[in-house]
Amino acid sequence: MATAFVFPGQGSQAVGMGKALADEFAVARAVFDEVDDALGERLSTLMWEGPADALTLTENTQPALLAVSLATLRVLETEAGVDLARDATFVAGHSLGEYSALAAARSLTIADTARLVRVRGRAMQKAVPVGVGAMAALIGLDFEQAAAVAADAAQGQVCQAANDNGGGQVVVSGDKAAVERAVEIAKSRGSKRAMLLPVSAPFHCSLMQPAADAMKDALAVATVKPPLVPVVANVLALPITDPAEIVRRLVEQVTGTVRWRESIAHMASQGVTTFYELGAGKVLSGLVKRIAAGAIGVAIGNPADVTAFKAAQGA
């Protein structure tokens, strides 16, 4: 029975996330301290005390989610004897989560990853003025249908299928007027629900090219090692291990589609039956069972989850 470890992206954040882990486990506290030191500020205080509107700023959300995911992994390693190289067939992460996956697999250090995602968050926020772009979820359409809606809605502007999340959930991204047109077109084509999302920028579309350029520069000077476990890349939905390719795909990911449905399906086709979601929220665990028949998703993000994991492993 093969397993994969997956890592959440933006949208899973909440004030207080990770605090129970830090309170109970010294190794978790050490991860939060390491991220704080790398950024030169007490991000952990913002995570645990808020305010929520500051935490949801992309430049804060991204390193915060990274910290919780890696703290969770460190706890599993020390408390339950998890050895990623031995216990995981693949790692993968949704958008920002791909950086968490790479850090988990020791391709990047925690400190370097924290600094990279801070650059990424700021560059993504800066790439498009607030109010110019938008994203919308189209529920009940498959990827091809949603991509066709986006193409018809563009009308000379940008509108792209940004996230293929699976379970009939596709997110489109681009110029605000074009995305609003996509919502109306989707409703006329059988979408069960189509709605604008409360996001601060239009991620994963060509409007993010300035952010892709910034990440190309930042990654060019980062030390990237072969991961201990193959990383299933968002833009390929296939596993990669070569550091040069990892860098190239991370740059492409900023403007490219997050092919999450295909990523989970590929891992399942290679025998993965259990997907452990490490960090904040349970979004990815919920998607697993809708994408891969018979597969299960298990979310681990607090001490009770760790206890349950240990009991299931007989640890």
Side-chain angles (χ1 to χ4, degrees):
M1 185 181 78
T3 62
F5 287 75
V6 297
F7 300 86
Q10 267 178 261
S12 294
Q13 68 274 2
V15 172
M17 64 181 185
K19 188 171 190 311
L21 286 173
D23 287 346
E24 190 155 334
F25 303 107
V27 287
R29 283 197 300 281
V31 171
F32 293 117
D33 288 344
E34 190 171 350
V35 171
D36 285 351
D37 290 346
L39 299 178
E41 64 182 70
R42 296 292 296 173
L43 179 68
S44 56
T45 301
L46 173 63
M47 291 166 59
W48 300 334
E49 299 175 12
D53 57 349
L55 179 61
T56 53
L57 289 174
T58 301
E59 65 179 74
N60 293 327
T61 303
Q62 296 200 10
L65 287 166
L66 167 83
V68 179
S69 286
L70 296 178
T72 304
L73 176 63
R74 292 290 183 272
V75 171
L76 290 181
E77 289 172 341
T78 55
E79 295 293 314
V82 166
D83 178 337
L84 214 62
R86 180 194 66 209
D87 298 331
T89 305
F90 303 105
V91 293
H94 190 286
S95 188
L96 155 79
E98 190 160 359
Y99 285 83
S100 304
L102 287 161
R106 309 300 205 274
S107 181
L108 292 162
T109 67
I110 291 177
D112 282 351
T113 313
R115 288 188 285 263
L116 283 168
V117 300
R118 167 56 61 83
V119 170
R120 184 177 183 267
R122 283 181 174 161
M124 287 175 135
Q125 192 62 69
K126 220 169 78 176
V128 181
V130 174
V132 171
M135 299 180 80
L138 311 183
I139 312 296
L141 301 182
D142 64 25
F143 182 74
E144 288 72 23
Q145 291 169 321
V149 166
D152 290 345
Q155 297 176 22
Q157 293 182 300
V158 172
C159 190
Q160 293 171 233
N163 299 348
D164 181 11
N165 289 333
Q169 183 194 116
V170 182
V171 175
V172 297
S173 180
D175 288 296
K176 189 166 188 282
V179 172
E180 287 171 340
R181 286 193 293 270
V183 167
E184 296 311 312
I185 293 170
K187 288 175 181 173
S188 72
R189 294 188 187 174
S191 174
K192 291 177 192 165
R193 271 191 305 154
M195 63 240 170
L196 292 174
L197 296 174
V199 295
S200 55
F203 306 125
H204 300 292
C205 75
S206 61
L207 295 176
M208 286 285 117
Q209 188 57 48
D213 295 339
M215 290 317 296
K216 185 175 183 179
D217 292 343
L219 285 159
V221 295
T223 300
V224 184
K225 298 177 181 175
L228 298 175
V229 181
V231 178
V232 178
N234 282 186
V235 296
L236 293 179
L238 292 170
I240 57 176
T241 56
D242 175 63
E245 181 166 26
I246 286 169
V247 168
R248 194 162 69 247
R249 302 307 181 185
L250 285 175
V251 174
E252 290 176 8
Q253 188 229 57
V254 178
T255 57
T257 303
V258 176
R259 296 169 62 182
W260 192 250
R261 173 181 57 85
E262 294 170 276
S263 295
I264 295 293
H266 175 78
M267 289 184 272
S269 77
Q270 301 303 300
V272 174
T273 54
T274 305
F275 294 82
Y276 292 108
E277 177 181 8
L278 304 191
K282 300 180 178 182
V283 173
L284 303 184
S285 303
L287 291 173
V288 162
K289 45 189 87 103
R290 291 191 240 159
I291 298 169
I296 60 168
V298 180
I300 306 174
N302 60 47
D305 297 335
V306 172
T307 301
F309 176 86
K310 288 168 66 175
Q313 303 297 309

